[in-house]
Amino acid sequence: MPDTGLDRFTDLFDDTVCIVTAQAGGERAGCLVGFAGQCSIRPPRFVVWLSRLNHTFRVAGAAESLAVHVVDRGGLPLAELFGGETGDRVDKFARVAWRPAADGTPLLDGACAWFVGRITARVDGGDHVGFLLDPVEQSPDPDPLPDLLTLHDVWHVRAGHPA
């Protein structure tokens, strides 16, 4: 893919990455996400962008909610699992400790903070789709504040699916 100049600009950012999980139709999925962020203050809203090629995207398409997890730098193995493997071939949840949220969405025990958001809209963004989330459940605030895993920390992870 040709460099349009935007790559050089976005490489300056070192955004926090997150792990998004979903469940629908008896199937669980989760992936490492580099495109996500708060998009409204009132009401509070958050958007995560999932690749159309990703197994998690297919499960999220039928889900009513998603869980968004942040991981500290000690959680790199968790990020490598959710970013480097695909749910098309591997049951990631068989390899980690997790529990269901109130609505059944998988919550990863290795995350330092998380929230579950009801999907209120899906936005076409090209090769990714934005899932607009209305928070409905969240973890207690971490204390002390963790040193979170960022995009540059996971640059070496070879994606389980192409973007």
Side-chain angles (χ1 to χ4, degrees):
M1 177 166 27
D3 180 0
T4 63
L6 187 59
D7 290 338
R8 291 187 302 277
F9 178 79
T10 58
D11 285 349
L12 298 172
F13 292 91
D14 195 14
D15 294 328
T16 301
V17 294
C18 56
I19 298 172
V20 173
T21 58
Q23 69 87 29
E27 189 173 9
R28 291 182 301 269
C31 65
L32 186 64
V33 170
F35 307 146
Q38 184 175 353
C39 58
S40 175
I41 297 170
R42 287 183 199 86
R45 294 279 162 74
F46 196 88
V47 65
V48 295
W49 296 89
L50 301 179
S51 168
R52 294 176 182 277
L53 300 178
N54 195 298
H55 177 256
T56 304
F57 171 77
R58 293 189 298 277
V59 175
E64 294 181 15
S65 61
L66 301 176
V68 180
H69 309 77
V70 290
V71 181
D72 64 20
R73 292 183 191 273
L76 182 58
L78 192 61
E80 289 172 334
L81 172 64
F82 279 86
E85 299 289 343
T86 173
D88 291 322
R89 294 189 290 274
V90 172
D91 180 359
K92 300 174 194 180
F93 296 92
R95 299 181 180 186
V96 298
W98 67 277
R99 65 194 183 287
D103 70 354
T105 303
L107 299 175
L108 303 174
D109 289 351
C112 55
W114 55 266
F115 81 91
V116 175
R118 183 177 51 83
I119 301 169
T120 61
R122 291 169 176 86
V123 180
D124 182 354
D127 60 6
H128 284 64
V129 172
F131 288 76
L132 183 63
L133 304 176
D134 183 8
V136 295
E137 182 181 357
Q138 71 182 46
S139 64
D141 291 338
D143 186 27
L145 291 178
D147 186 16
L148 297 178
L149 206 58
T150 66
L151 193 54
H152 285 99
D153 294 322
V154 298
W155 210 252
H156 69 281
V157 177
R158 189 175 188 105
H161 269 290

